[in-house]
Amino acid sequence: MYKHILLAVDFSANTENIVARAVKMVNQHSAKLSLVHILDNIPMPDTSYGTIISLGDESDNALLEQEKTKLNALGEKLSVPENQRWLIWGTPKDEITTLAAQESVDLIVIGSHARHGLALLLGSTASGVLHHAPCDLLAVRLPHE
Ligand code: AMP
């Protein structure tokens, strides 16, 4: 039985597929669900908590506010309490695995695209997480976008 499931979302077109699988696992295991979104494409926001971004405080950074809104909307939809919604600045594979260890997560749910050519060489978030994860990983196979 899994007790604490961490769902990693990048809000790309296939997010719904991954969310659906995570919700199924949460229901089957009566597990607690946490959400994480890593900010990897904006400059580090001003924050008093290191790289963890508070979802409560408003900033004048429009991009950051957009990401907060998306994470909060998904959190509300899935009834995930605010203290289990994580918005963190950094590199997805590192921050996801660090958070999983800190929060005693026992299953990470993540999307995985079939890759070819250069993309295969560059690697994916899922394979990066797999190499460092402190727990089990469910890689949900995604269609090409
Ligand atoms: P990628 O390898 O970048 O195509 O991402 C595959 C999966 O990794 C996504 O479906 C998400 O589950 C997760 N992921 C990628 N980027 C992020 C991010 N910035 N924050 C949270 N999860 C992410």
Side-chain angles (χ1 to χ4, degrees), residues 32-35 55 71-72 74-76 78-86:
K32 171 170 128 178
L33 174 65
S34 292
L35 303 176
L55 288 170
L71 186 60
N72 277 328
L74 184 61
E76 294 298 321
L78 303 180
S79 304
V80 173
E82 205 170 307
N83 65 353
Q84 285 158 227
R85 303 174 197 166
W86 298 92

Side-chain angles (χ1 to χ4, degrees), residues 51-122:
T51 55
I52 295 180
I53 316 297
S54 160
L55 288 170
D57 309 337
E58 271 203 30
S59 73
D60 50 14
N61 182 332
L63 282 174
L64 180 58
E65 292 308 304
Q66 239 175 47
E67 301 304 296
K68 279 186 193 173
T69 302
K70 284 191 267 184
L71 186 60
N72 277 328
L74 184 61
E76 294 298 321
K77 188 173 158 196
L78 303 180
S79 304
V80 173
E82 205 170 307
N83 65 353
Q84 285 158 227
R85 303 174 197 166
W86 298 92
L87 187 61
I88 303 173
W89 185 85
T91 308
K93 68 172 172 29
D94 297 334
E95 299 305 329
I96 292 168
T97 48
T98 302
L99 180 67
Q102 273 170 12
E103 293 297 303
S104 306
V105 163
D106 47 15
L107 178 71
I108 299 171
V109 179
I110 200 167
S112 162
H113 298 99
R115 282 175 196 251
H116 309 278
L118 253 192
L120 188 64
L121 281 179
L122 291 173

Side-chain angles (χ1 to χ4, degrees), residues 7-12 14-15 18 35-41 67 86-88 90-93 95-96 108-113 115 123-129 138 140 142 145:
L7 167 59
V9 281
D10 60 1
F11 300 116
S12 63
N14 291 309
T15 296
I18 311 163
L35 303 176
V36 62
H37 176 60
I38 309 301
L39 297 166
D40 61 343
N41 53 8
E67 301 304 296
W86 298 92
L87 187 61
I88 303 173
T91 308
K93 68 172 172 29
E95 299 305 329
I96 292 168
I108 299 171
V109 179
I110 200 167
S112 162
H113 298 99
R115 282 175 196 251
S124 66
T125 306
S127 58
V129 170
L138 173 61
V140 180
L142 300 174
E145 279 170 23

